[in-house]
Amino acid sequence: MAEGDAGSDQRQNEEIEAMAAIYGEEWCVIDDCAKIFCIRISDDIDDPKWTLCLQVMLPNEYPGTAPPIYQLNAPWLKGQERADLSNSLEEIYIQNIGESILYLWVEKIRDVLIQKSQMTEPGPDVKKKTEEEDVECEDDLILACQPESSVKALDFDISETRTEVEVEELPPIDHGIPITDRRSTFQAHLAPVVCPKQVKMVLSKLYENKKIASATHNIYAYRIYCEDKQTFLQDCEDDGETAAGGRLLHLMEILNVKNVMVVVSRWYGGILLGPDRFKHINNCARNILVEKNYTNSPEESSKSLGKNKKVRKDKKKNEH
């Protein structure tokens, strides 16, 4: 029993970290010990018309055998509309028993708000953020778009044609905007992959760059969908940053990405960051996955989590 509780606690912590990385300031910790959280959801981040706050408490049995305890807070949400939304959330839970579902819940609510905003009825007054406020918030996490010259210079000219021979050629590699915090810098690199050999090729190519090769850690994770067996081939590597690879892979699972590899390089600046380092690693990964359009719609995520639960671990064992 104790072992089961420990497993649930670990899965909860991984999901909480992933949600914080995905939603940033929209995610709020109300009581960390009691596992109570709140997320502000709107139909449009830049110009919100309809907004709702979802408050959740994670019981010890979640996600194994019990759903999150939730409360929907919005002055306009009443009667049948509230009942319909609640039924939708409970249906998502039933379809994905034993799985982490907070992401699916949030995006389902967002989808409802978007549909509502497309109706002719005017929305309630919502205070809009100014550009200056947005920039000030982003400055805490995102380095101005000035990657290190040696990293910025990486450019690969790869043919877009896809033949069987080219499947094992080096795929194109993209590089994200670095995040700097207390002299530590984090940067994500992304490449489409369809076989483990390409994973090795991408790593080899990245390590040809002296800046990346000198990073304190190069954490990575990948997910490859095997069409014939309808399973995922996936694996991760901490590279000395304990549990970072597993957390990165968990984020990719929640976002339901496939046929892609993400490497996050960290250059340690001499100041310990504590749990913030995992937030930055996931933020880097999430940003580049969104930028390159690897994230799916909530409906596709729900179908995938409900039907494609088979996952095949790559033969390589993690060292950390």
Side-chain angles (χ1 to χ4, degrees), residues 65-83:
T65 59
I69 299 168
Y70 72 93
Q71 181 175 338
L72 301 170
N73 299 320
W76 52 265
L77 186 65
K78 299 175 182 178
Q80 190 61 45
E81 198 169 22
R82 177 182 288 273

Side-chain angles (χ1 to χ4, degrees), residues 103-120:
Y103 173 78
L104 297 179
W105 274 11
V106 170
E107 292 306 316
K108 175 60 182 178
I109 293 171
R110 195 186 304 279
D111 185 52
V112 169
L113 297 180
I114 291 172
Q115 291 180 22
K116 191 173 179 64
S117 71
Q118 293 170 349
M119 298 170 65
T120 55

Side-chain angles (χ1 to χ4, degrees), residues 79-275:
Q80 190 61 45
E81 198 169 22
R82 177 182 288 273
D84 290 343
L85 182 53
S86 296
N87 289 338
S88 296
L89 299 186
E90 288 158 17
E91 184 178 347
I92 289 174
Y93 168 70
I94 291 172
Q95 291 175 349
N96 300 280
I97 291 177
E99 301 293 328
S100 301
I101 61 168
L102 293 184
Y103 173 78
L104 297 179
W105 274 11
V106 170
E107 292 306 316
K108 175 60 182 178
I109 293 171
R110 195 186 304 279
D111 185 52
V112 169
L113 297 180
I114 291 172
Q115 291 180 22
K116 191 173 179 64
S117 71
Q118 293 170 349
M119 298 170 65
T120 55
E121 59 181 300
D125 291 333
V126 179
K127 183 177 181 292
K128 294 169 64 176
K129 291 183 179 180
T130 64
E131 284 188 25
E132 291 78 10
E133 289 174 329
D134 286 337
V135 170
E136 288 176 1
C137 294
E138 291 173 1
D139 282 347
D140 293 336
L141 290 180
I142 300 178
L143 184 70
C145 189
Q146 297 288 336
E148 293 286 343
S149 57
S150 57
V151 176
K152 188 176 181 180
L154 288 175
D155 187 19
F156 306 103
D157 183 14
I158 303 298
S159 172
E160 293 182 358
T161 57
R162 295 293 302 274
T163 66
E164 290 186 6
V165 175
E166 289 174 325
V167 163
E168 293 189 355
E169 288 189 357
L170 176 70
I173 304 175
D174 291 294
H175 309 280
I177 298 173
I179 291 174
T180 297
D181 180 14
R182 285 164 279 179
R183 299 207 301 249
S184 280
T185 299
F186 303 78
Q187 185 176 31
H189 321 282
L190 178 149
V193 293
V194 294
C195 64
K197 185 174 181 180
Q198 284 188 317
V199 172
K200 295 179 180 179
M201 294 170 69
V202 170
L203 289 172
S204 296
K205 187 63 180 179
L206 287 173
Y207 274 104
E208 288 179 11
N209 180 273
K210 293 181 180 179
K211 178 71 175 178
I212 296 174
S214 67
T216 313
H217 309 289
N218 282 300
I219 304 117
Y220 70 83
Y222 64 88
R223 302 189 81 215
I224 299 171
Y225 184 63
C226 306
E227 294 281 354
D228 55 340
K229 299 180 181 178
Q230 294 191 343
T231 61
F232 278 94
L233 176 65
Q234 60 185 39
D235 203 358
C236 58
E237 172 59 50
D238 298 333
D239 193 29
E241 186 69 281
T242 305
R247 294 166 193 253
L248 176 58
L249 180 58
H250 186 69
L251 172 68
M252 295 172 70
E253 289 173 335
I254 287 180
L255 293 177
N256 189 32
V257 300
K258 63 181 180 180
N259 298 334
V260 65
M261 173 183 188
V262 177
V263 181
V264 178
S265 302
R266 181 199 180 180
W267 292 270
Y268 179 57
I271 301 174
L272 296 174
L273 302 186

Side-chain angles (χ1 to χ4, degrees), residues 281-292:
I281 291 167
N282 276 5
N283 270 330
C284 280
R286 186 251 180 189
N287 290 343
I288 198 168
L289 286 166
V290 170
E291 178 188 346
K292 299 304 174 182

